[in-house]
Amino acid sequence: MKIDSVTSSYRRWAPVYDLTFGRITSAGRRRAAQHVTARGGRALEVGVGTGLVLPLYGSTVSVTGIDFSTDMLQKARTKVSEMNLRHVQELRQMDARTLDFPDGSFDTVVATHVLSVVPEPERVLAEMARVCRPGGQIVIVNHFSAEGGALRRIERMAAPLEDHLGWQSNFPITRVLGNPLLREVERDRLPPLGMMTWLVMERIASA
Ligand SMILES: C[S@@+](CC[C@H](N)C(=O)[O-])C[C@H]1O[C@@H](n2cnc3c(N)ncnc32)[C@H](O)[C@@H]1O
């Protein structure tokens, strides 16, 4: 995925996102919001998109959202203002590869359906780990490549279309498991059809 393709593909997605991909993948967002609300404190949502998770957080949490696509962010801003979401601290246009926050700024860093979309996902994860405080958590909801069968074959066939579709279909979970500052603490399957993965990692103090 190239950064220019993020802009162009999410310009096309923004008007229809909530009623299409957004609708069929709501289970992971609900679980992420419940998890983050139970933890409380300061949360960063990386690739906040149209802000589908924002109304689901409780008042125990203060949320900052960032996204590269101004078209997606505009949808999120409209939700915050129309729904008067006071727990949303700020929404900023930013590249997740270079997060403009000091080390350890957040208790929880969330990315739902983002890591297979961003260019350089390992670099994004390293930035998420940097801005999370030691003892804090990284919460990921994502589709990772199937290990075999027909779905795996379809994912491989779709791989050349990634810049047009706006995500990488051929994206193994190993790409997010190698960060030395992160220790896996939860993993689960999520709807639709168990195709999505719930992954929670704890930010350890040092490698
Ligand atoms: C599939 S959408 C997910 C949106 C939201 N998290 C959700 O669950 O509905 C992926 C989002 O990642 C954003 N994105 C892609 N690359 C990015 C980058 N380098 N920095 C920040 N956001 C990025 C896209 O603009 C898009 O809004």
Side-chain angles (χ1 to χ4, degrees), residues 108-131:
T108 316
V109 182
V110 187
T112 61
H113 309 290
V114 171
L115 287 173
S116 51
V117 167
V118 291
E120 303 183 272
E122 292 86 353
R123 188 171 159 195
V124 170
L125 199 62
E127 276 293 89
M128 290 169 66
R130 180 185 67 75
V131 301

Side-chain angles (χ1 to χ4, degrees), residues 3 6 10 17 29 47 49 67-69 94-96 112-113 117-118:
I3 199 72
V6 170
Y10 284 92
Y17 185 88
R29 288 189 203 87
D67 202 285
F68 193 75
S69 161
M94 201 181 288
D95 188 338
T112 61
H113 309 290
V117 167
V118 291

